[in-house]
Amino acid sequence: MSMAPPGNNAMLICRPLLMARGLLSPALREGLLMRFHGSLSALDTAMPMRARSFSTGNSNGGAESLFISDINLSGHRTPLLLGLMNYFEKHLPKVGYFQPITGRTAQDSHLKVDRTLDLMYNVFKMTGDPHRMYGVQEVEAAQLIAAGKQAELLDRIYAAYVSYKEGHDVVLVDGPGQIMGDTELDAQIASALASPVLMAMMGNHSFLADDYYQAAMVKRQVFKDSKVDVLGLVLHNLPRGHHAILTSHLKANLERAGLPFAGALPDDPLLSSVRLDDVRHALSADQLYGDSLLTDVEFDDVVVASQRLEELLEVLGERPGGRPLVVTSADRLDIVLGLLAAQLSVQGPGVAGVLLTQAGTQRAGRNYAKSTVDSIFAGLVKSGLYQGTLLPVLSTDRPLREALAIIDRLDAAILPDSARKIERSKLLFERHIDVNAVVAGLQRKRPNRMTPKMFAHSLQSMCRADPQHIVLPESVDKRVLAAAAEATARSLAKITLLGDPATVASEGKKLGLDLTSCEVVNPASSGRLEAYISMLVEARKKKGMTPEQAADLLLGDINFFATMMVAAGDADGMVSGAIHTTASTIRPALQVLKTPDTPLVSSVFFMCLPDRVLVYGDCAVNVNPSASDLAAIAITSADTAAAFGIEPRVAMLSYSTLGSGSGPDVEKVTEAVALVKSQRPDIKVEGPIQYDAAIDPAVAAVKVKGGSEVAGKATVFVFPDLNTGNNTYKAVQQSTDAIAMGPVMQGLLKPVNDLSRGCTVPDILNTVCVTSIQAKQFKRS
């Protein structure tokens, strides 16, 4: 810490907290792409194969695990572990994580386990007892080694591993490395588990390519002595300035030695930064105000303020681009109010947050200020006048000096709620790590069924092959901004946001989002407004639309402006609904993107169950479709399924299976099935059929005689009415934790898709991907 100049009333300015080392993450590598069916075959050949396929089981002698060994005992390899787990989860249904020797229990772990294990368990939504995910605790392992009972240690690790791996296709084994400080122990454990090894080394500013090479060769021999197969070497936290030339030289040297080089994760400022959440955890602080999303934002300095508010604002204003954490005592609520006012202005100084420390014993009758601040913050939220992001304010019972000392010692950890660091780790991994050789060594082939992870990965791969232009009109929602930043960072789409550019930039800065790749259009000042007015008048002339009415509609309804962008070809598709109803989202599209000869507009949901992806239609648009409507929904849904790599086998649902019951509703479905077969004889369709007979082969064998291409193995389910479809998809979603991706609109001239108002950032990203793929379909047709 350094003292500020005397004129600043002894304000303390802590030096930038550039502590822990950052690491890797993905850009979602095109590798390991699934083989798509039917209409996607052309896209399949266009996408580069970056990874070898692999299968579950060991009937072909393949390994059931991959052991990660920290050969220079550095630690800090969490981003690498996140990337590897994310990779395996995309290609195998059941992936496990196991620690032969676990570290000390993290103080803030609700699971009462090691911090890394806690992170992996929560990030990848693992199930079961987390205490089955390790062999022996660190203290006990040290005692066994000290007592000469190494064999007993290995026996216990092996027993725990065998018990845990049951039911998993592959297990990522996190070697103890730094915990026990012995690569030879890693080799013994890997040998006991019959697990091949991927060696990991942390970057060093003073190392040359030859230094890494020599270290790798020495450690490789240690594993060879224990009869362990080494699949390759991967580096992490490599100095970014040396990354390209060093990796090129090292790869050449290692290849000559017959050791595959999987790549190197460069160091990363975000991963080496300390976040507000780190402070909150370390100080057991409460969050008094502000959005919880903001605590997942890093700060680059600490400013301790004891001077007058105007002096503090002056000092902060002299720090362009900085995002400090302001620390003051709990009795300085004037600072909270002053910084809040500054944040309400686009021109206010950038502040990551405020930390209030213990200010001594509170005197009776002095609580009124806190109540007043509470009222002001609550009023801002309820009034709706301010739709921006409120400044986060944390409060701790620790005194100022103690709090500063703890902050100064903070390491840049990755916690289960460190959403941005977790995603950055995955992105860096997919961008810089090539695991082809590792996958080849594991000798595993791709599973037969498309899992939700595979489906999402396939969508993203198709989007990156040809990014489409998607407009997101709801820029006032922080989820939409986060999704826009993520979509452009992953090269999934070209994004246009609607709103005031200065406001959008300010909100993005507060949230720590990079929106520089997104275009921001203000409808009121758009140069295309007059053209859209003319187009809308022409499209609605039979309804008596005037230019004045069209202008009012375009400027008063953000969804209408976005829809006209799509209609005019200024965007390829639109995604909205985070803060709008389904009706207000799709009404403009029904008015300008549908013609008299357009097929029936309907919708489908992609239901991502744990082991498969199904298509449900129509669960969102048509209340009581006729027989011809049901036929149109079935045909369109089958084509949608095929376009997304799902072989369409269509079940036309009813309470009766092939004549077991009767009634008008059954007759309607029977007529619809006949229409589908006559209009599209290429589609595999069955009905009327009950849901259990459509999805369960055992039930189908009883209820459907004579064999069927659909019964027991349907992939597309067409419901007889909206009541049945909507309730069914929600029942399945809530009962099985399935991800319901949709509704995906069908039958429009160009794609417009709706979001749930409870959507998450991943939901928005998925919908952007679906919309992009639909846009490519429309362009081809």
Side-chain angles (χ1 to χ4, degrees):
M1 260 183 292
S2 59
M3 295 296 292
N8 286 338
N9 289 336
M11 180 177 75
L12 301 177
I13 302 179
C14 290
R15 68 183 183 280
L17 297 174
L18 303 175
M19 304 180 189
R21 310 189 199 286
L23 262 321
L24 26 168
S25 193
L28 285 135
R29 202 168 267 230
E30 263 71 67
L32 317 129
L33 295 177
M34 295 186 49
R35 229 179 247 108
F36 292 103
H37 305 288
S39 63
L40 295 186
S41 59
L43 281 174
D44 189 40
T45 58
M47 292 185 288
M49 248 339 161
R50 292 297 304 272
R52 187 181 301 268
S53 60
F54 54 96
S55 70
T56 61
N58 62 354
S59 60
N60 62 351
E64 296 180 323
S65 62
L66 177 64
F67 191 107
I68 310 302
S69 178
D70 183 8
I71 61 174
N72 62 348
L73 311 178
S74 63
H76 300 295
R77 67 183 186 278
T78 304
L80 175 62
L81 295 172
L82 289 169
L84 282 167
M85 276 296 294
N86 186 58
Y87 163 84
F88 281 120
E89 274 218 334
K90 287 176 180 174
H91 302 90
L92 292 172
K94 299 176 182 178
V95 182
Y97 171 81
F98 183 81
Q99 292 181 340
I101 300 174
T102 192
R104 301 178 187 276
T105 300
Q107 291 183 352
D108 54 356
S109 171
H110 297 297
L111 301 174
K112 305 301 180 186
V113 293
D114 166 90
R115 171 167 284 182
T116 305
L117 197 157
D118 186 89
L119 173 71
M120 305 296 278
Y121 190 96
N122 283 286
V123 169
F124 297 100
K125 296 179 173 56
M126 296 180 175
T127 57
D129 184 1
H131 296 277
R132 293 185 62 239
M133 297 172 65
Y134 63 79
V136 180
Q137 291 186 335
E138 175 187 355
V139 174
E140 193 172 4
Q143 292 172 347
L144 289 171
I145 293 173
K149 298 181 179 180
Q150 197 121 331
E152 181 180 339
L153 172 63
L154 294 175
D155 288 343
R156 291 180 56 181
I157 291 172
Y158 181 79
Y161 167 75
V162 170
S163 173
Y164 175 72
K165 77 169 183 176
E166 188 69 25
H168 292 95
D169 299 311
V170 69
V171 176
L172 188 66
V173 181
D174 189 2
Q178 187 188 34
I179 294 178
M180 302 305 295
D182 187 0
T183 301
E184 187 171 349
L185 178 60
D186 273 13
Q188 292 172 354
I189 296 172
S191 179
L193 304 184
S195 178
V197 166
L198 176 63
M199 300 190 302
M201 288 184 70
M202 184 173 175
N204 188 312
H205 282 273
S206 63
F207 269 28
L208 301 176
D210 193 55
D211 297 315
Y212 292 107
Y213 173 80
Q214 294 296 338
M217 292 299 101
V218 170
K219 298 299 184 179
R220 180 195 196 186
Q221 190 58 46
V222 173
F223 289 108
K224 279 189 172 183
D225 291 343
S226 294
K227 310 301 181 185
V228 175
D229 185 19
V230 178
L231 299 184
L233 172 71
V234 62
L235 303 183
H236 58 94
N237 207 40
L238 190 67
R240 189 172 292 269
H242 305 159
H243 187 276
I245 189 168
L246 195 149
T247 53
S248 175
H249 290 171
L250 182 57
K251 181 177 181 180
N253 291 342
L254 292 173
E255 284 180 350
R256 283 193 292 270
L259 181 64
F261 180 55
L265 295 166
D267 56 19
D268 187 86
L270 173 61
L271 298 180
S272 62
S273 64
V274 180
R275 304 174 310 129
L276 292 185
D277 255 352
D278 297 328
V279 173
R280 183 165 59 86
H281 280 280
L283 298 177
S284 300
D286 296 321
Q287 184 169 351
L288 301 182
Y289 315 114
D291 195 292
S292 59
L293 182 63
L294 283 181
T295 59
D296 188 28
V297 173
E298 69 277 9
F299 57 94
D300 58 9
D301 207 347
V302 174
V303 173
V304 182
S306 60
Q307 73 279 58
R308 293 183 301 171
L309 173 63
E310 58 267 30
E311 293 175 341
L312 173 62
L313 292 176
E314 181 179 355
V315 171
L316 293 175
E318 295 172 354
R319 303 161 55 84
R323 302 187 70 253
L325 170 65
V326 176
V327 182
T328 189
S329 60
D331 57 359
R332 293 299 307 275
L333 294 176
D334 59 315
I335 288 180
V336 176
L337 286 175
L339 291 177
L340 170 62
Q343 287 291 298
L344 297 183
S345 168
V346 176
Q347 303 300 323
V351 175
V354 178
L355 172 66
L356 301 179
T357 60
Q358 198 270 336
T361 304
Q362 282 193 329
R363 289 171 289 175
R366 294 301 302 275
N367 291 327
Y368 69 90
K370 172 69 164 55
S371 301
T372 301
V373 175
D374 286 344
S375 299
I376 292 173
F377 270 80
L380 274 174
V381 174
K382 293 178 181 177
S383 69
L385 296 177
Y386 176 65
Q387 295 183 325
T389 306
L390 293 179
L391 180 73
V393 179
L394 308 179
S395 175
T396 179
D397 290 331
R398 298 178 185 271
L400 177 65
R401 185 175 295 276
E402 181 181 342
L404 289 175
I406 292 174
I407 293 173
D408 196 52
R409 294 194 300 268
L410 278 180
D411 196 10
I414 301 181
L415 304 175
D417 55 358
S418 304
R420 295 175 63 231
K421 287 188 177 183
I422 291 167
E423 287 307 308
R424 180 66 60 84
S425 296
K426 294 176 182 178
L427 281 169
L428 287 175
F429 182 92
E430 293 185 15
R431 182 173 295 158
H432 296 285
I433 304 300
D434 186 349
V435 289
N436 279 341
V438 176
V439 172
L442 289 175
Q443 297 180 328
R444 296 190 176 275
K445 61 185 178 183
R446 187 174 289 113
N448 293 326
R449 276 184 173 174
M450 182 185 290
T451 67
K453 272 278 188 182
M454 296 173 182
F455 183 62
H457 178 60
S458 302
L459 296 185
Q460 293 178 358
S461 298
M462 294 169 66
C463 289
R464 283 195 305 276
D466 183 17
Q468 299 295 294
H469 185 180
I470 307 300
V471 57
L472 304 178
E474 300 167 312
S475 66
V476 297
D477 192 288
K478 60 181 179 292
R479 297 167 298 173
V480 172
L481 294 181
E486 192 73 9
T488 53
R490 293 176 180 268
S491 300
L492 299 177
K494 302 170 186 175
I495 298 295
T496 290
L497 295 163
L498 297 188
D500 175 57
T503 302
V504 171
S506 175
E507 285 299 298
K509 183 177 180 181
K510 293 175 188 176
L511 294 167
L513 301 173
D514 182 5
L515 297 174
T516 55
S517 297
C518 300
E519 182 184 8
V520 182
V521 173
N522 188 342
S525 58
S526 170
R528 296 286 289 158
L529 180 59
E530 291 300 323
Y532 296 161
I533 291 173
S534 299
M535 289 180 61
L536 185 54
V537 169
E538 177 64 25
R540 303 290 291 168
K541 62 183 178 182
K542 291 184 179 179
K543 299 294 183 179
M545 177 73 70
T546 66
E548 292 75 18
Q549 291 172 330
D552 290 342
L553 199 55
L554 288 169
L555 294 177
D557 187 337
I558 200 76
N559 284 326
F560 238 111
F561 189 92
T563 303
M564 292 309 299
M565 286 185 65
V566 178
D570 295 333
D572 299 316
M574 181 190 93
V575 173
S576 187
I579 58 176
H580 291 90
T581 64
T582 296
S584 63
T585 298
I586 67 174
R587 186 185 299 113
L590 294 176
Q591 293 183 9
V592 300
L593 292 176
K594 183 177 182 294
T595 61
D597 59 346
T598 299
L600 179 77
V601 175
S602 61
S603 71
V604 294
F605 279 89
F606 290 105
M607 299 300 294
C608 300
L609 281 70
D611 62 343
R612 70 187 83 179
V613 178
L614 304 176
V615 177
Y616 284 7
D618 173 7
C619 305
V621 178
N622 294 284
V623 177
N624 189 24
S626 64
S628 60
D629 290 341
L630 282 178
I633 293 169
I635 291 170
T636 310
S637 299
D639 289 340
T640 297
F644 285 86
I646 300 171
E647 182 182 355
R649 294 188 290 271
V650 182
M652 305 286 283
L653 299 175
S654 173
Y655 59 80
S656 167
T657 294
L658 301 181
S660 63
S662 61
D665 292 336
V666 176
E667 293 172 2
K668 181 176 73 171
V669 176
T670 301
E671 182 183 348
V673 172
L675 288 171
V676 173
K677 289 181 177 180
S678 64
Q679 295 173 19
R680 288 288 299 275
D682 59 303
I683 293 178
K684 299 174 183 177
V685 61
E686 191 70 86
I689 188 170
Q690 292 164 291
Y691 192 97
D692 57 352
I695 198 168
D696 189 332
V699 176
V702 175
K703 293 188 175 183
V704 181
K705 305 300 182 181
S708 171
E709 292 184 296
V710 175
K713 47 184 177 288
T715 57
V716 178
F717 296 78
V718 177
F719 294 91
D721 53 57
L722 183 62
N723 181 55
T724 306
N726 192 269
N727 279 297
T728 301
Y729 105 76
K730 288 180 177 176
V732 172
Q733 180 187 33
Q734 296 299 321
S735 301
T736 66
D737 290 328
I739 298 173
M741 192 183 299
V744 177
M745 304 303 297
Q746 308 175 132
L748 295 171
L749 294 176
K750 293 184 179 182
V752 169
N753 284 314
D754 180 40
L755 298 165
S756 164
R757 278 171 283 176
C759 64
T760 63
V761 173
D763 292 335
I764 301 173
L765 274 177
N766 287 335
T767 307
V768 166
C769 288
V770 168
T771 307
S772 295
I773 294 170
Q774 285 183 303
K776 290 198 284 188
Q777 286 180 283
F778 291 136
K779 288 180 179 180
R780 288 198 301 270
S781 61

